[in-house]
Amino acid sequence: MTPQTDDEPLVDDIAARIRARIMNGELAIGKPLRQAALATEFGVSRTPVREALRQLQNGGLIEMQPNRGAVVRVPAPWEVRQAYEVRAELEGMAARRAASRITERGLAALREHNAVLREAVARAAGEGTGGGSSATTAANDCFHTVICEAADNPWLTRMIDRINESFPRNVSSLALAGDERHRQLNIREHDAVIEALAAHDADRADALMREHVISSGEHLTAWYERRSQTVFHG
């Protein structure tokens, strides 16, 4: 094992800060990450920035491209599809476990988060806008988080989190924002999961959640397929 150096906590901190900006969409997919600019921004030398970027590259969030250096990576569509196949099984298991454990408070929280999504769709229809926002991204994430928490299995939660952290969280919102039909479907699928959980129907909650995640994964895969054709690779 390589001994820890004094720079490792700094490298980890820089990597975490860059990762957070990628995950919330501040650093968009395909965007170059300039070492000199990042070093100036963080008030450090280029060395810890370079090591932080290498760490993020190993994690699959960025890639090194000829003549461009580090850029926020555009996942291959097949990667998204395969990741969501695994996520569907895990979240189906979470819903199954949650069916016998979720409280009325948890069900109320699910309804509140879905209400945020429903109100956003109605508002977007009235305004003629896309409907995606940081609030809807958070509401959608929180919906799934409530179910994971109700499942009461930290190992399961960590595995789901690991998959979610492989892709920028704002991308799902961007994909939904351009498709009113799918936004409506997303809400209806959430409603069906809530009904199954309220009825403590583990089999139905499991099946509905798996179908929901697979559907979301196919929609996101299609979005990445379109995006991968437009991002300049240098």
Side-chain angles (χ1 to χ4, degrees):
M1 181 180 294
T2 304
Q4 187 179 48
T5 68
D6 292 340
D7 288 337
E8 286 190 17
L10 176 60
V11 170
D12 291 344
D13 177 66
I14 293 171
R17 292 165 70 180
I18 297 173
R19 182 184 296 108
R21 293 171 63 183
I22 293 173
M23 296 303 288
N24 67 21
E26 184 179 344
L27 296 174
I29 57 175
K31 182 178 179 61
L33 302 174
R34 308 299 185 194
Q35 290 186 23
L38 290 169
T40 299
E41 178 181 347
F42 296 137
V44 298
S45 69
R46 291 193 187 189
T47 299
V49 171
R50 183 170 58 250
E51 293 304 312
L53 293 177
R54 183 175 292 120
Q55 185 182 119
L56 294 173
Q57 181 184 14
N58 291 338
L61 275 182
I62 70 170
E63 64 182 343
M64 305 302 294
Q65 294 183 355
N67 304 319
R68 297 191 78 201
V71 299
V72 180
R73 183 170 173 268
V74 182
W78 64 264
E79 292 179 274
V80 181
R81 180 175 286 113
Q82 289 185 354
Y84 270 70
E85 287 175 354
V86 177
R87 180 184 163 190
E89 295 301 316
L90 295 173
E91 292 216 33
M93 184 188 302
R96 171 177 291 277
R97 288 178 57 86
S100 62
R101 295 171 173 83
I102 196 162
T103 63
E104 288 300 321
R105 183 175 180 180
L107 290 168
L110 291 177
R111 294 186 181 105
E112 289 173 7
H113 295 315
N114 213 30
V116 172
L117 300 177
R118 184 174 284 108
E119 290 165 7
V121 168
R123 185 168 57 251
E127 298 173 351
T129 59
S133 68
S134 58
T136 56
T137 299
N140 196 71
D141 286 350
C142 287
F143 180 92
H144 289 267
T145 298
V146 169
I147 294 173
C148 285
E149 290 175 347
D152 192 27
N153 185 325
W155 285 88
L156 182 58
T157 299
R158 283 196 293 270
M159 293 176 73
I160 293 171
D161 286 346
R162 183 172 180 181
I163 293 174
N164 288 338
E165 289 168 1
S166 299
F167 309 105
R169 299 304 303 143
N170 73 310
V171 170
S172 295
S173 182
L174 290 173
L176 284 171
D179 190 334
E180 182 178 356
R181 183 196 64 81
H182 195 76
R183 293 201 306 275
Q184 294 281 7
L185 177 62
N186 186 58
I187 293 166
R188 291 197 301 271
E189 289 175 344
H190 282 186
D191 283 335
V193 170
I194 293 171
E195 289 177 7
L197 292 172
H200 306 295
D201 188 335
D203 288 343
R204 184 162 174 76
D206 183 344
L208 286 170
M209 181 58 83
R210 281 190 281 110
E211 291 172 6
H212 170 58
V213 174
I214 288 293
S215 173
S216 298
E218 288 302 314
H219 190 74
L220 189 60
T221 296
W223 188 91
Y224 271 114
E225 285 176 339
R226 294 191 298 270
R227 182 63 174 171
S228 65
Q229 295 170 3
T230 60
V231 173
F232 174 68
H233 289 286

